[in-house]
Amino acid sequence: MLGKLSRNLWARRCGTLGLRSCPSVSTWSPLATAFNTKPHTRLNITKNDTGLFGISALTNPEGFYLLKENAIHRTDELIEEATREKRSRKMVEIFDELSDTLCKVADLAEFVRLSHPHVKFLHAAEDACISISGIVEKLNTDRELYRVLKAVVDSGDAFPTNPVDDHVAELFLFDFEQSGIHLEEKLRRRVVHLNECILQLGQRFMAGAITPRVVDKEVLPENIRHFFTRKGDKIEVASLFAESTNAKAREAAFRLFLYPDQRQDQLLTDILAARHELATICGFPTYAHRALKSSTVEKPDTVREFLEILTEGLRPRAEEDFRQMAQMKRQENQMSTELAAWDTPYYTAKLKKELLQVNAKEFAPYFSLGACMEGLNTVTTSLYGIHLENTEMQPGEAWNTDIYKLAVVHESEGTLGYIYCDFFERHGKPNQDCHFTIQGGKRLPDGTYQPPIVVIMLNLQQPRWSGPTLLTPSMVDNLFHEMGHAMHSMLARTEYQHVTGTRCSTDFAEIPSVLMEYFAADPRVLATFARHYQTHEPMPQDMLNRLCASKFLFTASETQLQVFYSALDQAYHGDPAEQGTSTTDTLRQLQERYYGLPYVNATAWQLRFSHLIGYGAKYYSYLVSRAVASSIWHTFFAKDPLSRAQGERYRREFLSFGGGVPSGKLVGDFLQCGVTPQILAKNLIEEVDANSETIRHLTERK
């Protein structure tokens, strides 16, 4: 470990919060010390480089060629085994090894392609991605391979199987059929063509969604031009300026940034048309039906009913949020117009600042990166008996000099897996917080377990010479969210890597990560680690309470906005006959129905909605996963967020299955209730009401 300080724990009771004595650290633990110190490359005199992620072939970029060739050779052997007349094991085991062989190269190469700072490694990884994609395309056209799998799914295997085996085999078959292999050759080729078109059009749409709007400076009034980037006689509008204190600047940015773009609109129209044709060729009524197959909710009708119930419940509550914002706007300027879409982020931030009584940045000294990692360690130790151990890497194991490696160690089961932490911003690195699977966990033939390996990627500022990296409250939320994904990968002890951890439906994969946000919003949990990085003083209790309460501001209107986004996504991927004359016409109609603020003429917000590409017909997953996570939190953890008994139950009965059990059944069994639209909507409405009550009590005390 990098840190040399010994652990010194002492108990501090959380007063009126009702939690049993919980650990609070008076000096930094080795884990906190390590993350409060920038990693550095140790001088390597005697050792040879071990290669990226400890893979000996990857001491240099050419190693990707060897990995690719080995994968091709093993793939050929597995295809021969699957299609021979007599087999010695289950068909699903052969397919999972086939999937694992390809994923080990593809997932690794995709991460290196996106993240490695050296061009030669990046190009070699990209070539490997292309090669593996070619192999997958070849497999997707292997009708004999499809035939033997379908025979097993339809008629049973020659070897005894269990429900998990059958479920995973069906998932493999569905993946096969998404490429149209079960269709006649002409239609199959059309499916391949449509998939390629959707990919290329999506990439162009994504690029256009973040492209700044450039206009002549005369378009803007002179008194607000200074808010924007000037380039000669042009002005660049790169965002919505949502939290600007100037109402005219907010309005101008909103209208210009969201002004309709004909090329972008055509791209979206073509994508939606291609997706619909793809779905209907493959036997689905709409693309939404195709996207929701094997999800937690399973059918678009269920999503639609959920959104309708939620809309009715949210409407009066969101109206109250908007009434408060409108009152704040009038207090600022008696001559101001009605509340508009460009106002809501600004007044939410303003009220949050007033409620917190201090700038959000003043919380950051209590959230050093080391302190936050210690907090995560407290949660995992308390709930699962698992500690996060900073581990020294071998020379050449990391792709950059500022990477940490965590061993995830259970008190009796030993090391479960590894989490690489790529936390700091650097040139060329994707500007998003995310979780990558490098190697999925699975049961090996000799009975041992292939350990999961993942990467958590953040974009934090580098540590300063005078102190550690400090996180804002929203950064803490993001860290806990991504660690929720990572722990799902670590704790899902599945037989098959095809369904390990986050390899499950989107509306299920987000539940563990969203649940971790509840821990980050609980003052009892924050009290275990929020300490000033210089004085080591804990964050005052009142400050903790105000911070946690601030996360609950205007949740009704924010949830209503998410309902509108979800409804729009479902409509775009539903029956074209039920849509408007254009994507903007559809948006206008749905905004009137699902959102409390009116559509702004001559805007096309959907053309900036990049989630339509990566989450096509699945954006509802945010709401469903939050509804389920809310129920899990209130049922198992609200009374005691560090309960070992409840943590063990959550691990054994929920996380351990990964995607190996149909997610709707898994959620229903764990919560002992059906996953119905009524129950899901009820969970979110009750949470909105509880959040409003928390805010009311806090403001009354002020």
Side-chain angles (χ1 to χ4, degrees), residues 397-468:
E397 185 176 351
W399 52 99
N400 205 50
T401 58
D402 57 0
I403 311 300
Y404 303 93
K405 179 184 180 182
L406 293 175
V408 180
V409 184
H410 189 271
E411 59 191 14
S412 62
E413 299 170 29
T415 300
L416 301 181
Y418 297 94
I419 303 171
Y420 288 83
C421 301
D422 188 350
F423 281 174
F424 302 114
E425 58 187 3
R426 64 175 176 270
H427 178 71
K429 179 180 175 181
N431 186 27
Q432 60 184 12
D433 298 340
C434 48
H435 161 273
F436 293 87
T437 297
I438 304 300
Q439 175 174 280
K442 64 170 292 183
R443 186 72 56 192
L444 297 174
D446 63 2
T448 61
Y449 202 81
Q450 175 173 287
I453 300 172
V454 304
V455 176
I456 295 179
M457 180 182 289
L458 306 178
N459 278 276
L460 306 177
Q461 290 185 347
Q462 293 278 351
R464 302 161 296 170
W465 66 269
S466 58

Side-chain angles (χ1 to χ4, degrees), residues 52 146 191 204 294 337 370 389 399 514 531 628 658:
L52 287 175
Y146 169 72
V191 167
R204 290 159 61 190
S294 300
T337 58
E389 183 178 303
W399 52 99
V514 171
R531 293 186 299 130
V628 175

Side-chain angles (χ1 to χ4, degrees), residues 325-560:
M325 294 184 206
Q327 183 178 1
M328 294 172 67
K329 187 173 184 178
R330 287 192 296 271
Q331 289 172 349
E332 276 193 350
N333 182 0
Q334 294 294 330
M335 303 297 293
S336 64
T337 58
E338 293 183 356
L339 188 74
W342 52 79
D343 291 322
T344 54
Y346 167 71
Y347 288 108
T348 300
K350 182 178 180 181
L351 184 57
K352 181 178 291 189
K353 184 175 180 179
E354 292 176 356
L355 184 67
L356 294 177
Q357 299 176 359
V358 293
N359 191 293
K361 291 183 179 179
E362 296 184 44
F363 286 87
Y366 292 92
F367 293 126
S368 67
L369 178 57
C372 294
M373 295 305 297
E374 189 59 42
L376 286 167
N377 187 61
T378 296
V379 171
T380 60
T381 302
S382 300
L383 296 182
Y384 315 120
I386 288 170
H387 69 272
L388 308 175
E389 183 178 303
N390 184 57
T391 304
E392 181 180 344
M393 283 180 281
Q394 298 300 310
E397 185 176 351
W399 52 99
N400 205 50
T401 58
D402 57 0
I403 311 300
Y404 303 93
K405 179 184 180 182
L406 293 175
V408 180
V409 184
H410 189 271
E411 59 191 14
S412 62
E413 299 170 29
T415 300
L416 301 181
Y418 297 94
I419 303 171
Y420 288 83
C421 301
D422 188 350
F423 281 174
F424 302 114
E425 58 187 3
R426 64 175 176 270
H427 178 71
K429 179 180 175 181
N431 186 27
Q432 60 184 12
D433 298 340
C434 48
H435 161 273
F436 293 87
T437 297
I438 304 300
Q439 175 174 280
K442 64 170 292 183
R443 186 72 56 192
L444 297 174
D446 63 2
T448 61
Y449 202 81
Q450 175 173 287
I453 300 172
V454 304
V455 176
I456 295 179
M457 180 182 289
L458 306 178
N459 278 276
L460 306 177
Q461 290 185 347
Q462 293 278 351
R464 302 161 296 170
W465 66 269
S466 58
T469 294
L470 304 179
L471 280 64
T472 63
S474 63
M475 292 175 184
V476 177
D477 292 341
N478 290 349
L479 173 61
F480 271 64
H481 180 99
E482 299 304 332
M483 186 58 77
H485 284 310
M487 292 309 297
H488 194 188
S489 295
M490 296 297 112
L491 297 179
R493 312 308 275 182
T494 56
E495 291 293 315
Y496 303 113
Q497 69 81 37
H498 191 65
V499 291
T500 187
T502 56
R503 288 177 175 163
C504 50
S505 66
T506 304
D507 57 6
F508 183 76
E510 290 297 325
I511 294 171
S513 55
V514 171
L515 180 63
M516 282 297 290
E517 295 178 27
Y518 285 82
F519 288 89
D522 191 289
R524 297 165 296 179
V525 175
L526 294 182
T528 67
F529 69 90
R531 293 186 299 130
H532 198 285
Y533 77 99
Q534 291 175 318
T535 66
H536 290 203
E537 287 295 316
M539 184 182 291
Q541 190 64 55
D542 179 63
M543 196 172 175
L544 274 173
N545 291 339
R546 284 186 284 112
L547 170 61
C548 293
S550 72
K551 301 179 181 183
F552 304 148
L553 282 171
F554 298 141
T555 51
S557 55
E558 172 58 29
T559 304
Q560 187 187 60

Side-chain angles (χ1 to χ4, degrees), residues 198-214:
I198 291 168
L199 176 63
Q200 293 181 5
L201 292 170
Q203 291 171 344
R204 290 159 61 190
F205 182 87
M206 292 281 285
I210 61 174
T211 300
R213 179 84 66 213
V214 179

